[in-house]
Amino acid sequence: MASPEIDALTQALARLPGLGPRSARRAVLHLLKKREVALTPLLRALEQVNERLSVCSLCGNVDTSDPCAVCSDPRRDDRLLCVVEEVSDLWALDRSRLFPGRFHVLGGRLSALEGVRPEDLSIDRLIARVAGGGIDEVVLAMNATLEGQTTAHYLAERLEGHPVRITQLAHGLPVGGELDYLDEGTLAQALRARRPVA
Amino acid sequence: MASPEIDALTQALARLPGLGPRSARRAVLHLLKKREVALTPLLRALEQVNERLSVCSLCGNVDTSDPCAVCSDPRRDDRLLCVVEEVSDLWALDRSRLFPGRFHVLGGRLSALEGVRPEDLSIDRLIARVAGGGIDEVVLAMNATLEGQTTAHYLAERLEGHPVRITQLAHGLPVGGELDYLDEGTLAQALRARRPVA
């Protein structure tokens, strides 16, 4: 019985990750009742982003400028390049403020199952960036999944012969991880990569 | 490091019920990556709703037309009036398609704690609607909470003397409710309102 406009809004919100039909309905109701503080700011923010949205032509990040904020930040170290699968991974690492270098977004991972081949990812552009020089180290920050690690191996091979250090994120116990609750794969990784006590 | 526009969008989404900072970020990323199928439809839907949003001058429903879709539906029974606390309650009852009459939204419930008095709710307008005639039954569909029931009692008193039947929703076991898991209040209600087996 809700109007078609309200239905359309509910459906658009319900398609967002983390929201279902029920929570979308609650969100719509909130937007309708709090027009000034909820609906208007959301509408303005969407308009702004929609107007300026672009994919960074250097690293593949999504931002409102091209080059993106990360690529155009002069304080970052050009000699360090971190390769990630998705924009979300770039954001996660960037939020941690632990990596002072640049990024490269592959746009996915190699997957026989999903039919994702090397030419479907931004790999040629990565090789070109590295071949362009000025990079000392490439950090392969793929997910610790089978497909992520396959992709990392493939990239390591493709980067062979270029004068760069190739590294990858350490695998092992997560902070706060209790042995009793961790899966065998993580335990095996942690054991294999054990190191002398300093 | 995300642009101010993207931050603003994340914050606007994070304020919706059911979304927090983390899920808002995931939603934003989804919107950015799926511009055509996610961002654009959401933006259009918000624009449409924002342009046409209005509060129904008859019942207090929020809709994109005034009178709202429920009030202007000719198939509904004018003699039945269901009083609810909030717009969300109207929507819930309307979705069930079980109530064939009209609605009246109070805009809240009486609450000493929150300082909500009768004049803060749309009660005078309700009395006027009933006094206007043509209504046979007023269904008080308040929440089964202390404040909801206080409000219902108050309304019943105010409506006394008008030639209408005043009813309220039944209280008792919810469908699928197991006695062992129900609170004592519900059990007491169900016992008090017990009826002969047909």
Side-chain angles (χ1 to χ4, degrees):
Chain A
M1 204 65 216
S3 74
E5 294 89 351
I6 293 179
D7 275 346
L9 179 57
T10 311
Q11 280 163 28
L13 279 173
R15 265 183 251 117
L16 293 181
L19 283 175
R22 219 190 168 84
S23 43
R25 233 160 23 218
R26 233 180 308 131
V28 166
L29 212 53
H30 177 80
L31 289 171
L32 299 184
K33 287 171 72 179
K34 303 277 165 75
R35 186 178 193 164
E36 304 306 322
V37 300
L39 199 154
T40 313
L42 179 58
L43 178 57
R44 295 288 160 271
L46 270 173
E47 280 171 347
Q48 286 280 318
V49 166
N50 186 47
E51 202 173 289
R52 312 172 129 216
L53 182 62
S54 58
V55 174
C56 177
S57 50
L58 290 174
C59 76
N61 190 10
V62 202
D63 202 350
T64 49
S65 59
D66 179 18
C68 73
V70 177
C71 284
S72 55
D73 182 352
R75 290 162 304 178
R76 284 181 173 263
D77 189 345
D78 286 321
R79 289 164 304 169
L80 273 173
L81 184 66
C82 181
V83 185
V84 292
E85 296 179 19
E86 298 281 2
V87 172
S88 48
D89 304 328
L90 187 162
W91 286 20
L93 279 167
D94 188 49
R95 267 199 309 279
S96 74
R97 296 175 190 279
L98 291 169
F99 185 72
R102 307 286 179 186
F103 287 94
H104 188 89
V105 180
L106 293 177
R109 65 218 60 80
L110 296 178
S111 167
L113 212 64
E114 293 169 27
V116 181
R117 295 153 309 168
E119 54 267 40
D120 299 322
L121 304 177
S122 173
I123 293 179
D124 288 340
R125 209 137 54 114
L126 169 66
I127 307 295
R129 271 181 97 171
V130 174
I135 297 172
D136 292 343
E137 180 179 348
V138 175
V139 184
L140 301 175
M142 271 73 254
N143 287 327
T145 58
L146 181 64
E147 292 172 340
Q149 294 307 302
T150 307
T151 309
H153 281 296
Y154 177 82
L155 291 179
E157 261 175 40
R158 287 283 305 266
L159 287 167
E160 235 172 56
H162 289 94
V164 289
R165 267 181 77 206
I166 302 173
T167 57
Q168 64 173 343
L169 297 185
H171 294 169
L173 309 184
V175 173
E178 299 181 54
L179 267 62
D180 197 16
Y181 291 91
L182 284 168
D183 61 295
E184 282 178 33
T186 301
L187 288 179
Q189 292 271 16
L191 203 56
R192 208 180 305 145
R194 66 188 182 276
R195 25 171 222 187
V197 177
Chain B
M1 205 64 216
S3 75
E5 293 90 351
I6 292 179
D7 275 346
L9 179 56
T10 310
Q11 280 163 29
L13 279 172
R15 265 183 252 116
L16 292 181
L19 283 175
R22 219 190 167 81
S23 44
R25 237 165 16 225
R26 233 180 309 132
V28 167
L29 212 54
H30 177 80
L31 289 171
L32 299 184
K33 288 171 71 178
K34 303 276 165 78
R35 187 177 192 165
E36 305 305 323
V37 300
L39 198 153
T40 313
L42 179 58
L43 178 56
R44 295 289 160 268
L46 271 173
E47 280 171 348
Q48 285 279 319
V49 166
N50 186 46
E51 203 172 287
R52 314 173 127 214
L53 184 61
S54 58
V55 174
C56 178
S57 51
L58 289 174
C59 75
N61 189 12
V62 202
D63 203 349
T64 49
S65 59
D66 180 17
C68 73
V70 177
C71 283
S72 55
D73 183 352
R75 289 162 304 179
R76 285 183 173 263
D77 189 345
D78 286 322
R79 290 163 305 170
L80 274 172
L81 184 66
C82 180
V83 186
V84 293
E85 296 179 18
E86 298 282 2
V87 173
S88 48
D89 303 328
L90 188 163
W91 287 20
L93 279 169
D94 188 47
R95 267 199 308 280
S96 74
R97 297 175 188 278
L98 291 169
F99 186 72
R102 308 284 180 190
F103 288 94
H104 189 90
V105 180
L106 291 177
R109 65 217 60 78
L110 296 178
S111 166
L113 212 65
E114 294 167 27
V116 181
R117 295 153 310 167
E119 53 267 41
D120 299 321
L121 303 177
S122 171
I123 293 179
D124 286 343
R125 210 139 49 114
L126 169 65
I127 308 293
R129 271 183 96 171
V130 174
I135 296 173
D136 292 345
E137 178 178 350
V138 175
V139 183
L140 301 175
M142 271 71 253
N143 287 329
T145 59
L146 182 63
E147 292 172 338
Q149 294 307 302
T150 308
T151 310
H153 281 297
Y154 177 82
L155 291 179
E157 261 176 39
R158 286 283 304 268
L159 287 166
E160 237 172 56
H162 290 94
V164 288
R165 268 180 77 205
I166 303 174
T167 57
Q168 64 173 343
L169 296 185
H171 294 167
L173 308 184
V175 173
E178 299 181 54
L179 267 63
D180 197 17
Y181 291 92
L182 284 169
D183 61 295
E184 282 177 35
T186 301
L187 288 180
Q189 291 272 17
L191 204 55
R192 207 179 307 143
R194 68 186 180 277
R195 30 172 217 182
V197 177

